[in-house]
Amino acid sequence: EPHLVESGGGSAQAGGSLRLSCTASGFSIDGYEVGWYRQTPGNECELVSEINSGGISYYSGPVKGRFTISRDNAQNTVYLQMDSLKAEDTAVYYCAADPVLGPKYDQTCKYAPRSIDFWGQGTLVTVSS
């Protein structure tokens, strides 16, 4: 069954770095937007960053200038390089793939929004200050 596999979460000190990976299994990410979501304090599932099939990227305000997203279509993988980490970056990060990813969903990130084709199991990032 086609699915997404995330890796790279863990613990870091504030100011440190982590890199998340999202690999598609059973399907090609060609033609898909691939991105990362996390839960906001207001309980919305918010898009942190995404990259489309043309390589154009988007970043939410809180992470702009600190996170970098990239994709390797040959490896069927998208990466999220997270630098200058802050305590408020602590969250479970979920990888998603869809022809069009929405910026925000009024629900928990634990379950895939109905409109999204593929949703990962989540990887925990913990940043200590």
Side-chain angles (χ1 to χ4, degrees):
E1 183 175 339
H3 61 280
L4 295 170
V5 179
E6 299 135 329
S7 61
S11 298
Q13 296 281 339
S17 298
L18 287 171
R19 189 175 83 154
L20 306 183
S21 299
C22 173
T23 299
S25 176
F27 74 100
S28 171
I29 62 172
D30 289 349
Y32 280 89
E33 295 184 347
V34 183
W36 297 87
Y37 288 81
R38 69 186 185 189
Q39 204 78 42
T40 69
N43 258 350
E44 293 173 314
C45 189
E46 185 175 62
L47 182 64
V48 173
S49 179
E50 63 110 336
I51 186 165
N52 68 15
S53 55
I56 296 173
S57 57
Y58 159 85
Y59 301 95
S60 67
V63 309
K64 194 174 293 184
R66 300 187 296 119
F67 291 9
T68 303
I69 194 168
S70 61
R71 65 191 287 158
D72 183 340
N73 286 351
Q75 296 296 322
N76 228 17
T77 298
V78 168
Y79 304 96
L80 185 67
Q81 178 66 39
M82 309 165 70
D83 298 320
S84 302
L85 283 164
K86 302 177 179 180
E88 50 263 43
D89 294 320
T90 295
V92 178
Y93 287 72
Y94 296 84
C95 181
D98 194 82
V100 179
L101 292 175
K104 189 179 294 186
Y105 297 90
D106 186 17
Q107 62 164 77
T108 175
C109 287
K110 187 176 178 182
Y111 304 104
R114 286 184 183 180
S115 61
I116 291 186
D117 284 356
F118 300 101
W119 193 259
Q121 80 283 1
T123 186
L124 177 63
V125 170
T126 303
V127 183
S128 55
S129 55

PDB file of all heavy atoms in Angstrom, residues 3-29:
ATOM      1  N   HIS A   3       2.507   4.672   0.877  1.00  0.00           N
ATOM      2  CA  HIS A   3       2.525   5.434   2.119  1.00  0.00           C
ATOM      3  C   HIS A   3       3.778   6.295   2.194  1.00  0.00           C
ATOM      4  O   HIS A   3       4.678   6.196   1.350  1.00  0.00           O
ATOM      5  CB  HIS A   3       2.462   4.486   3.332  1.00  0.00           C
ATOM      6  CG  HIS A   3       3.610   3.531   3.433  1.00  0.00           C
ATOM      7  ND1 HIS A   3       3.685   2.367   2.689  1.00  0.00           N
ATOM      8  CD2 HIS A   3       4.733   3.563   4.192  1.00  0.00           C
ATOM      9  CE1 HIS A   3       4.792   1.730   2.997  1.00  0.00           C
ATOM     10  NE2 HIS A   3       5.454   2.435   3.898  1.00  0.00           N
ATOM     11  N   LEU A   4       3.825   7.150   3.222  1.00  0.00           N
ATOM     12  CA  LEU A   4       4.968   8.021   3.489  1.00  0.00           C
ATOM     13  C   LEU A   4       5.667   7.549   4.758  1.00  0.00           C
ATOM     14  O   LEU A   4       4.998   7.181   5.738  1.00  0.00           O
ATOM     15  CB  LEU A   4       4.501   9.464   3.669  1.00  0.00           C
ATOM     16  CG  LEU A   4       3.872  10.149   2.458  1.00  0.00           C
ATOM     17  CD1 LEU A   4       3.252  11.477   2.855  1.00  0.00           C
ATOM     18  CD2 LEU A   4       4.915  10.360   1.363  1.00  0.00           C
ATOM     19  N   VAL A   5       6.977   7.599   4.742  1.00  0.00           N
ATOM     20  CA  VAL A   5       7.763   7.218   5.919  1.00  0.00           C
ATOM     21  C   VAL A   5       8.623   8.398   6.329  1.00  0.00           C
ATOM     22  O   VAL A   5       9.426   8.894   5.528  1.00  0.00           O
ATOM     23  CB  VAL A   5       8.659   5.997   5.612  1.00  0.00           C
ATOM     24  CG1 VAL A   5       9.479   5.640   6.842  1.00  0.00           C
ATOM     25  CG2 VAL A   5       7.809   4.814   5.171  1.00  0.00           C
ATOM     26  N   GLU A   6       8.457   8.840   7.574  1.00  0.00           N
ATOM     27  CA  GLU A   6       9.232   9.972   8.083  1.00  0.00           C
ATOM     28  C   GLU A   6      10.357   9.471   8.980  1.00  0.00           C
ATOM     29  O   GLU A   6      10.234   8.443   9.635  1.00  0.00           O
ATOM     30  CB  GLU A   6       8.344  10.904   8.910  1.00  0.00           C
ATOM     31  CG  GLU A   6       7.196  11.501   8.148  1.00  0.00           C
ATOM     32  CD  GLU A   6       5.905  11.446   8.910  1.00  0.00           C
ATOM     33  OE1 GLU A   6       5.732  10.506   9.699  1.00  0.00           O
ATOM     34  OE2 GLU A   6       5.065  12.327   8.722  1.00  0.00           O
ATOM     35  N   SER A   7      11.424  10.239   9.020  1.00  0.00           N
ATOM     36  CA  SER A   7      12.523   9.944   9.937  1.00  0.00           C
ATOM     37  C   SER A   7      13.262  11.239  10.232  1.00  0.00           C
ATOM     38  O   SER A   7      13.037  12.259   9.574  1.00  0.00           O
ATOM     39  CB  SER A   7      13.470   8.909   9.333  1.00  0.00           C
ATOM     40  OG  SER A   7      14.044   9.388   8.146  1.00  0.00           O
ATOM     41  N   GLY A   8      14.128  11.175  11.241  1.00  0.00           N
ATOM     42  CA  GLY A   8      14.984  12.314  11.529  1.00  0.00           C
ATOM     43  C   GLY A   8      14.578  13.135  12.727  1.00  0.00           C
ATOM     44  O   GLY A   8      15.291  14.051  13.125  1.00  0.00           O
ATOM     45  N   GLY A   9      13.443  12.847  13.322  1.00  0.00           N
ATOM     46  CA  GLY A   9      13.059  13.590  14.516  1.00  0.00           C
ATOM     47  C   GLY A   9      13.968  13.245  15.677  1.00  0.00           C
ATOM     48  O   GLY A   9      14.778  12.325  15.617  1.00  0.00           O
ATOM     49  N   GLY A  10      13.846  14.018  16.758  1.00  0.00           N
ATOM     50  CA  GLY A  10      14.656  13.762  17.929  1.00  0.00           C
ATOM     51  C   GLY A  10      14.724  14.996  18.787  1.00  0.00           C
ATOM     52  O   GLY A  10      13.846  15.855  18.735  1.00  0.00           O
ATOM     53  N   SER A  11      15.786  15.081  19.581  1.00  0.00           N
ATOM     54  CA  SER A  11      15.947  16.190  20.507  1.00  0.00           C
ATOM     55  C   SER A  11      17.111  17.067  20.095  1.00  0.00           C
ATOM     56  O   SER A  11      18.107  16.578  19.545  1.00  0.00           O
ATOM     57  CB  SER A  11      16.204  15.652  21.921  1.00  0.00           C
ATOM     58  OG  SER A  11      15.108  14.891  22.367  1.00  0.00           O
ATOM     59  N   ALA A  12      16.971  18.352  20.364  1.00  0.00           N
ATOM     60  CA  ALA A  12      18.037  19.302  20.068  1.00  0.00           C
ATOM     61  C   ALA A  12      17.956  20.436  21.072  1.00  0.00           C
ATOM     62  O   ALA A  12      16.904  20.686  21.668  1.00  0.00           O
ATOM     63  CB  ALA A  12      17.912  19.838  18.647  1.00  0.00           C
ATOM     64  N   GLN A  13      19.076  21.107  21.245  1.00  0.00           N
ATOM     65  CA  GLN A  13      19.117  22.321  22.059  1.00  0.00           C
ATOM     66  C   GLN A  13      18.622  23.484  21.212  1.00  0.00           C
ATOM     67  O   GLN A  13      18.732  23.468  19.976  1.00  0.00           O
ATOM     68  CB  GLN A  13      20.546  22.600  22.519  1.00  0.00           C
ATOM     69  CG  GLN A  13      21.128  21.538  23.433  1.00  0.00           C
ATOM     70  CD  GLN A  13      20.636  21.692  24.861  1.00  0.00           C
ATOM     71  OE1 GLN A  13      20.198  22.746  25.268  1.00  0.00           O
ATOM     72  NE2 GLN A  13      20.699  20.606  25.617  1.00  0.00           N
ATOM     73  N   ALA A  14      18.101  24.496  21.880  1.00  0.00           N
ATOM     74  CA  ALA A  14      17.743  25.718  21.168  1.00  0.00           C
ATOM     75  C   ALA A  14      18.971  26.252  20.438  1.00  0.00           C
ATOM     76  O   ALA A  14      20.080  26.249  20.992  1.00  0.00           O
ATOM     77  CB  ALA A  14      17.210  26.757  22.146  1.00  0.00           C
ATOM     78  N   GLY A  15      18.774  26.646  19.194  1.00  0.00           N
ATOM     79  CA  GLY A  15      19.878  27.095  18.369  1.00  0.00           C
ATOM     80  C   GLY A  15      20.500  25.989  17.536  1.00  0.00           C
ATOM     81  O   GLY A  15      21.312  26.258  16.646  1.00  0.00           O
ATOM     82  N   GLY A  16      20.123  24.754  17.815  1.00  0.00           N
ATOM     83  CA  GLY A  16      20.670  23.612  17.106  1.00  0.00           C
ATOM     84  C   GLY A  16      19.907  23.297  15.840  1.00  0.00           C
ATOM     85  O   GLY A  16      19.047  24.076  15.393  1.00  0.00           O
ATOM     86  N   SER A  17      20.224  22.127  15.253  1.00  0.00           N
ATOM     87  CA  SER A  17      19.649  21.731  13.966  1.00  0.00           C
ATOM     88  C   SER A  17      19.186  20.288  13.993  1.00  0.00           C
ATOM     89  O   SER A  17      19.730  19.455  14.733  1.00  0.00           O
ATOM     90  CB  SER A  17      20.705  21.892  12.860  1.00  0.00           C
ATOM     91  OG  SER A  17      21.121  23.228  12.733  1.00  0.00           O
ATOM     92  N   LEU A  18      18.205  20.013  13.163  1.00  0.00           N
ATOM     93  CA  LEU A  18      17.754  18.656  12.879  1.00  0.00           C
ATOM     94  C   LEU A  18      17.342  18.615  11.416  1.00  0.00           C
ATOM     95  O   LEU A  18      16.969  19.638  10.842  1.00  0.00           O
ATOM     96  CB  LEU A  18      16.550  18.267  13.753  1.00  0.00           C
ATOM     97  CG  LEU A  18      16.798  17.979  15.231  1.00  0.00           C
ATOM     98  CD1 LEU A  18      15.460  17.836  15.959  1.00  0.00           C
ATOM     99  CD2 LEU A  18      17.633  16.724  15.416  1.00  0.00           C
ATOM    100  N   ARG A  19      17.391  17.421  10.830  1.00  0.00           N
ATOM    101  CA  ARG A  19      16.900  17.252   9.465  1.00  0.00           C
ATOM    102  C   ARG A  19      15.891  16.131   9.437  1.00  0.00           C
ATOM    103  O   ARG A  19      16.185  15.005   9.848  1.00  0.00           O
ATOM    104  CB  ARG A  19      18.043  16.952   8.493  1.00  0.00           C
ATOM    105  CG  ARG A  19      17.590  16.976   7.030  1.00  0.00           C
ATOM    106  CD  ARG A  19      18.696  16.804   6.039  1.00  0.00           C
ATOM    107  NE  ARG A  19      19.043  15.403   5.830  1.00  0.00           N
ATOM    108  CZ  ARG A  19      19.591  14.934   4.709  1.00  0.00           C
ATOM    109  NH1 ARG A  19      19.850  15.749   3.709  1.00  0.00           N
ATOM    110  NH2 ARG A  19      19.905  13.661   4.615  1.00  0.00           N
ATOM    111  N   LEU A  20      14.721  16.448   8.931  1.00  0.00           N
ATOM    112  CA  LEU A  20      13.661  15.460   8.755  1.00  0.00           C
ATOM    113  C   LEU A  20      13.669  14.958   7.317  1.00  0.00           C
ATOM    114  O   LEU A  20      13.957  15.711   6.390  1.00  0.00           O
ATOM    115  CB  LEU A  20      12.295  16.067   9.066  1.00  0.00           C
ATOM    116  CG  LEU A  20      12.134  16.747  10.427  1.00  0.00           C
ATOM    117  CD1 LEU A  20      10.681  17.224  10.584  1.00  0.00           C
ATOM    118  CD2 LEU A  20      12.533  15.831  11.559  1.00  0.00           C
ATOM    119  N   SER A  21      13.340  13.672   7.167  1.00  0.00           N
ATOM    120  CA  SER A  21      13.210  13.072   5.838  1.00  0.00           C
ATOM    121  C   SER A  21      11.817  12.478   5.686  1.00  0.00           C
ATOM    122  O   SER A  21      11.257  11.945   6.655  1.00  0.00           O
ATOM    123  CB  SER A  21      14.242  11.967   5.641  1.00  0.00           C
ATOM    124  OG  SER A  21      15.551  12.466   5.732  1.00  0.00           O
ATOM    125  N   CYS A  22      11.298  12.546   4.490  1.00  0.00           N
ATOM    126  CA  CYS A  22       9.997  11.955   4.174  1.00  0.00           C
ATOM    127  C   CYS A  22      10.159  11.204   2.860  1.00  0.00           C
ATOM    128  O   CYS A  22      10.404  11.828   1.823  1.00  0.00           O
ATOM    129  CB  CYS A  22       8.943  13.040   4.055  1.00  0.00           C
ATOM    130  SG  CYS A  22       7.328  12.456   3.476  1.00  0.00           S
ATOM    131  N   THR A  23      10.046   9.893   2.920  1.00  0.00           N
ATOM    132  CA  THR A  23      10.220   9.059   1.728  1.00  0.00           C
ATOM    133  C   THR A  23       8.901   8.410   1.341  1.00  0.00           C
ATOM    134  O   THR A  23       8.225   7.820   2.192  1.00  0.00           O
ATOM    135  CB  THR A  23      11.277   7.970   1.988  1.00  0.00           C
ATOM    136  OG1 THR A  23      12.525   8.602   2.295  1.00  0.00           O
ATOM    137  CG2 THR A  23      11.454   7.089   0.762  1.00  0.00           C
ATOM    138  N   ALA A  24       8.569   8.536   0.078  1.00  0.00           N
ATOM    139  CA  ALA A  24       7.354   7.913  -0.435  1.00  0.00           C
ATOM    140  C   ALA A  24       7.636   6.464  -0.827  1.00  0.00           C
ATOM    141  O   ALA A  24       8.655   6.179  -1.471  1.00  0.00           O
ATOM    142  CB  ALA A  24       6.835   8.682  -1.638  1.00  0.00           C
ATOM    143  N   SER A  25       6.744   5.587  -0.431  1.00  0.00           N
ATOM    144  CA  SER A  25       6.867   4.175  -0.768  1.00  0.00           C
ATOM    145  C   SER A  25       5.615   3.740  -1.528  1.00  0.00           C
ATOM    146  O   SER A  25       4.499   3.985  -1.080  1.00  0.00           O
ATOM    147  CB  SER A  25       7.011   3.338   0.511  1.00  0.00           C
ATOM    148  OG  SER A  25       7.049   1.956   0.217  1.00  0.00           O
ATOM    149  N   GLY A  26       5.814   3.130  -2.687  1.00  0.00           N
ATOM    150  CA  GLY A  26       4.668   2.630  -3.442  1.00  0.00           C
ATOM    151  C   GLY A  26       4.056   3.631  -4.399  1.00  0.00           C
ATOM    152  O   GLY A  26       3.062   3.314  -5.062  1.00  0.00           O
ATOM    153  N   PHE A  27       4.589   4.822  -4.456  1.00  0.00           N
ATOM    154  CA  PHE A  27       4.139   5.822  -5.422  1.00  0.00           C
ATOM    155  C   PHE A  27       5.263   6.825  -5.637  1.00  0.00           C
ATOM    156  O   PHE A  27       6.189   6.910  -4.823  1.00  0.00           O
ATOM    157  CB  PHE A  27       2.859   6.523  -4.952  1.00  0.00           C
ATOM    158  CG  PHE A  27       3.038   7.515  -3.836  1.00  0.00           C
ATOM    159  CD1 PHE A  27       3.091   8.874  -4.105  1.00  0.00           C
ATOM    160  CD2 PHE A  27       3.144   7.095  -2.513  1.00  0.00           C
ATOM    161  CE1 PHE A  27       3.251   9.804  -3.081  1.00  0.00           C
ATOM    162  CE2 PHE A  27       3.307   8.009  -1.485  1.00  0.00           C
ATOM    163  CZ  PHE A  27       3.363   9.375  -1.766  1.00  0.00           C
ATOM    164  N   SER A  28       5.160   7.576  -6.730  1.00  0.00           N
ATOM    165  CA  SER A  28       6.159   8.594  -7.045  1.00  0.00           C
ATOM    166  C   SER A  28       5.676   9.960  -6.591  1.00  0.00           C
ATOM    167  O   SER A  28       4.509  10.300  -6.759  1.00  0.00           O
ATOM    168  CB  SER A  28       6.415   8.620  -8.552  1.00  0.00           C
ATOM    169  OG  SER A  28       7.208   9.726  -8.896  1.00  0.00           O
ATOM    170  N   ILE A  29       6.608  10.757  -6.027  1.00  0.00           N
ATOM    171  CA  ILE A  29       6.222  12.103  -5.601  1.00  0.00           C
ATOM    172  C   ILE A  29       6.150  13.078  -6.777  1.00  0.00           C
ATOM    173  O   ILE A  29       5.756  14.234  -6.588  1.00  0.00           O
ATOM    174  CB  ILE A  29       7.172  12.657  -4.514  1.00  0.00           C
ATOM    175  CG1 ILE A  29       8.604  12.781  -5.029  1.00  0.00           C
ATOM    176  CG2 ILE A  29       7.099  11.804  -3.254  1.00  0.00           C
ATOM    177  CD1 ILE A  29       9.537  13.490  -4.055  1.00  0.00           C
TER     178      ILE A  29
END
